[in-house]
Amino acid sequence: MGDSENKELVGQDEPKKTGNVENEPKKNGGRIQKLKSEFKKIIWPDKNTVIKETTAVVVVTVILGAIIALLDLIIKTGLDKILQMG
């Protein structure tokens, strides 16, 4: 390819800039409309479901915390006894 052919190919993939500022609010307005329509599709849980799921999360968290604390105590006690032997 010659230099003139390379110059013609440069910039072909670049998007054309229109400089039209009036299109920008329409784009943002369209995005907001799409966002609103997506929010309408969401099925929000009722109060009882939220309470049940929150209670389940809290209970499981407390149980796992207790299990981890118990394992930590057992390991710590076991290591202390092993170290006292030696």
Side-chain angles (χ1 to χ4, degrees):
M1 276 188 198
D3 287 335
S4 62
E5 291 176 15
N6 285 339
K7 289 178 184 176
E8 290 175 9
L9 294 175
V10 172
Q12 282 186 353
D13 294 335
E14 294 178 14
K16 294 183 180 180
K17 296 180 183 177
T18 59
N20 192 355
V21 181
E22 294 175 8
N23 289 338
E24 290 180 18
K26 291 179 184 177
K27 287 182 182 177
N28 289 335
R31 289 180 185 155
I32 292 173
Q33 284 298 105
K34 288 179 184 177
L35 186 64
K36 285 181 181 178
S37 69
E38 288 298 319
F39 264 93
K40 288 179 183 177
K41 294 178 186 177
I42 297 173
I43 300 172
W44 297 100
D46 59 348
K47 186 177 180 179
N48 289 334
T49 304
V50 172
I51 291 172
K52 287 178 186 177
E53 291 180 2
T54 303
T55 303
V57 168
V58 170
V59 168
V60 168
T61 303
V62 169
I63 291 171
L64 286 175
I67 290 170
I68 291 170
L70 183 64
L71 286 173
D72 182 50
L73 181 66
I74 291 169
I75 292 170
K76 183 180 175 184
T77 306
L79 284 175
D80 285 343
K81 291 198 184 236
I82 290 172
L83 292 174
Q84 285 178 357
M85 292 174 155

